[in-house]
Amino acid sequence: TTAKASSILQKNAKLYGPMNALDCENSLSCWNSEGSPNGKTSSFLVIDFGRTVRPIEIALQFQAGFVAEELKVFRRTQGTTASAAKEEEWAELADFE
């Protein structure tokens, strides 16, 4: 399993890199994006399991009062590869709570 992100806070991958978002052993680890001063830039986190998976649950926890105004979940469409991430290769999952 690998993870990549739109940005990493202060470019400090050891403390804030995207793989930290997958660390279930350490509740203090996290991915932290650089964000934007005006809040208008989207952030993303891509998790590649390296195989087909059927997640039962996706859990997100925001830190210390930070929260997304909008959250979208996408899945890669069939027949694409991780190295060819074009916009049309992703389908939004519209039916989740």
Side-chain angles (χ1 to χ4, degrees):
T1 301
T2 61
K4 66 180 180 177
S6 53
S7 65
I8 300 170
L9 183 63
Q10 301 169 347
K11 296 184 170 108
N12 188 335
K14 184 174 181 179
L15 286 178
Y16 306 118
M19 286 300 291
N20 291 339
L22 306 178
D23 184 355
C24 296
E25 302 295 317
N26 182 355
S27 63
L28 298 177
S29 70
C30 66
W31 161 60
N32 201 329
S33 71
E34 193 66 50
S36 72
N38 61 8
K40 304 248 185 236
T41 304
S42 297
S43 297
F44 67 81
L45 176 69
V46 177
I47 302 169
D48 187 345
F49 295 98
R51 59 185 169 79
T52 300
V53 297
R54 291 183 180 263
I56 296 169
E57 180 179 71
I58 298 172
L60 301 173
Q61 180 177 338
F62 293 93
Q63 296 179 314
F66 293 96
V67 65
E69 290 181 17
E70 182 179 20
L71 177 68
K72 294 182 180 182
V73 176
F74 292 83
R75 68 170 179 85
R76 185 174 292 125
T77 57
Q78 289 287 35
T80 62
T81 63
S83 62
K86 296 179 185 172
E87 188 174 335
E88 64 271 12
E89 295 176 355
W90 295 91
E92 183 175 358
L93 298 178
D95 194 18
F96 75 98
E97 297 177 8

